Amino acid sequence: MTGKEENMQSANRVLRISQLDALELNKALEQLVWSQFTQCFHGFKPGLLARFEPEVKAFLWLFLWRFTIYSKNATVGQSVLNIQYKNDSSLNLIYQPPSKTQKLWYAVCTIGGRWLEERCYDLFRNRHLAAFGKAKQFMNFLVGLLKLGELINFLIFLQKGKFATLTERLLGIHSVFCKPQNMREVGFEYMNRELLWHGFAEFLIFLLPLINIQKLKAKLSSWSIPLTGAAGHDSTLGSSGKECALCGEWPTMPHTIGCEHVFCYYCVKSSFLFDIYFTCPKCGTEVHSVQPLKSGIEMSEVNAL
């Protein structure tokens, strides 16, 4: 029976990250409430709330405590995460909320403690008497002990996963789920597919810049188009001189790279500057030099064809 109870408690145990998230949500809510409250006095005299700021904050936090922990046994952050406080002194599996005494002491330790710290800081800030100096040293020593206790409690919390704050440990209350949590079955097929395609896309993004598209295109063209013989080189040059082998238009300032095809000067020059291994897209001849069209082949002959 004991093993079964331990299994049920471990199944409903609140994760450490959820408890820490609840604390962060509480801090964010307090900052939001205080900023909204101070905006109400935006048009009044500056520094109006500075004198009574600790008391005003304590009143606001007490108002929040009344409608959260006192009424619903949970802070706002805990309610968002489906968490609430449970009386740790109860050994039964049935949920038992914190007692009123524990709730009141929670308000005293959290709200009263922060008010006392802020008020004492304001009180001793401008006092230089010997009596106030001793009291200030005592308060600093007491605050240091509390901070050390919070640090030790946090380290224990990271190991045990229970009592996220020192106040919870002293009062004997810890976080539990409001509703029992069912075991979730997660299918990873979709995630695996997304990871596969994401890795494949990254591989293509890395590989594509390394591929010379023009050279590959010229290679494929040389395989699909049969090469002509050297005997008909001049005639072929004349017939191919009607269009640029790159742009397909009438060649402007016709040049050749040593094969029977003619190129526009700007087409072949820009391609050669872009890729020093540029080859003819028609026959695959490598570029050794870009030369003007030979004088033996006049453009009039090309026009006559």
Side-chain angles (χ1 to χ4, degrees):
M1 183 67 180
T2 305
K4 183 177 180 181
E5 292 179 357
E6 292 179 354
N7 292 335
M8 294 181 63
Q9 291 179 357
S10 61
N12 294 327
R13 181 176 299 175
V14 181
L15 298 177
R16 297 172 179 83
I17 187 63
S18 298
Q19 299 183 54
L20 295 178
D21 286 343
L23 295 177
E24 293 298 325
L25 288 174
N26 294 334
K27 294 178 183 178
L29 174 67
E30 292 176 357
Q31 294 177 359
L32 179 62
V33 171
W34 179 248
S35 64
Q36 294 291 332
F37 182 80
T38 53
Q39 287 181 2
C40 298
F41 299 88
H42 181 70
F44 291 83
K45 182 179 179 180
L48 180 64
L49 297 177
R51 185 177 180 183
F52 307 100
E53 182 174 339
E55 286 74 18
V56 174
K57 284 186 175 180
F59 175 78
L60 290 176
W61 309 155
L62 187 64
F63 181 80
L64 292 176
W65 168 84
R66 172 61 181 84
F67 292 99
T68 55
I69 296 179
Y70 190 82
S71 301
K72 301 180 180 179
N73 305 319
T75 62
V76 177
Q78 289 177 330
S79 301
V80 172
L81 299 175
N82 190 31
I83 301 173
Q84 61 184 355
Y85 279 128
K86 177 185 178 182
N87 192 346
D88 193 60
S89 61
S90 175
L91 300 178
N92 299 328
L93 293 178
I94 301 176
Y95 171 76
Q96 182 176 354
S99 62
K100 290 185 178 181
T101 304
Q102 290 174 320
K103 295 176 182 178
L104 291 175
W105 276 110
Y106 184 91
V108 171
C109 294
T110 55
I111 303 174
R114 283 187 292 179
W115 171 82
L116 183 62
E117 182 181 359
E118 293 180 4
R119 180 48 66 191
C120 289
Y121 176 77
D122 293 338
L123 181 63
F124 297 143
R125 181 172 52 183
N126 298 322
R127 302 293 190 276
H128 301 286
L129 299 178
F132 284 102
K134 293 181 179 180
K136 183 178 181 181
Q137 291 179 359
F138 175 75
M139 290 300 300
N140 290 335
F141 178 75
L142 184 61
V143 171
L145 287 179
L146 290 176
K147 298 298 183 182
L148 179 61
E150 291 178 355
L151 175 61
I152 296 174
N153 176 81
F154 183 73
L155 295 177
I156 298 175
F157 165 73
L158 293 179
Q159 182 181 8
K160 303 292 185 180
K162 194 175 182 181
F163 303 120
T165 62
L166 184 61
T167 303
E168 296 178 4
R169 185 175 297 275
L170 295 176
L171 298 179
I173 55 178
H174 68 279
S175 301
V176 295
F177 286 112
C178 299
K179 298 179 182 180
Q181 301 296 301
N182 297 325
M183 297 298 295
R184 296 186 302 173
E185 295 182 0
V186 181
F188 294 97
E189 292 82 3
Y190 175 77
M191 185 180 298
N192 293 335
R193 186 166 59 252
E194 288 296 320
L195 290 174
L196 178 62
W197 282 109
H198 183 71
F200 183 69
E202 288 187 346
F203 176 73
L204 289 180
I205 292 174
F206 171 77
L207 184 62
L208 287 178
L210 304 178
I211 300 176
N212 192 331
I213 303 298
Q214 293 184 351
K215 191 171 183 179
L216 180 62
K217 183 179 179 182
K219 197 69 176 177
L220 295 176
S221 300
S222 64
W223 290 346
S224 59
I225 301 175
L227 299 179
T228 58
H233 176 76
D234 294 340
S235 60
T236 308
L237 183 60
S239 60
S240 61
K242 292 182 178 180
E243 63 180 17
C244 174
L246 287 174
C247 64
E249 301 294 334
W250 184 268
T252 303
M253 298 175 63
H255 279 63
T256 180
I257 61 175
C259 63
E260 66 270 16
H261 300 99
V262 179
F263 304 86
C264 297
Y265 172 75
Y266 298 104
C267 293
V268 68
K269 194 65 176 179
S270 60
S271 300
F272 180 68
L273 292 176
F274 177 76
D275 182 13
I276 60 175
Y277 301 104
F278 171 73
T279 58
C280 177
K282 299 293 186 180
C283 61
T285 303
E286 294 184 358
V287 179
H288 298 288
S289 62
V290 179
Q291 300 294 334
L293 192 63
K294 292 181 180 181
S295 58
I297 302 176
E298 302 293 341
M299 292 305 300
S300 58
E301 299 178 4
V302 176
N303 295 335
L305 293 176

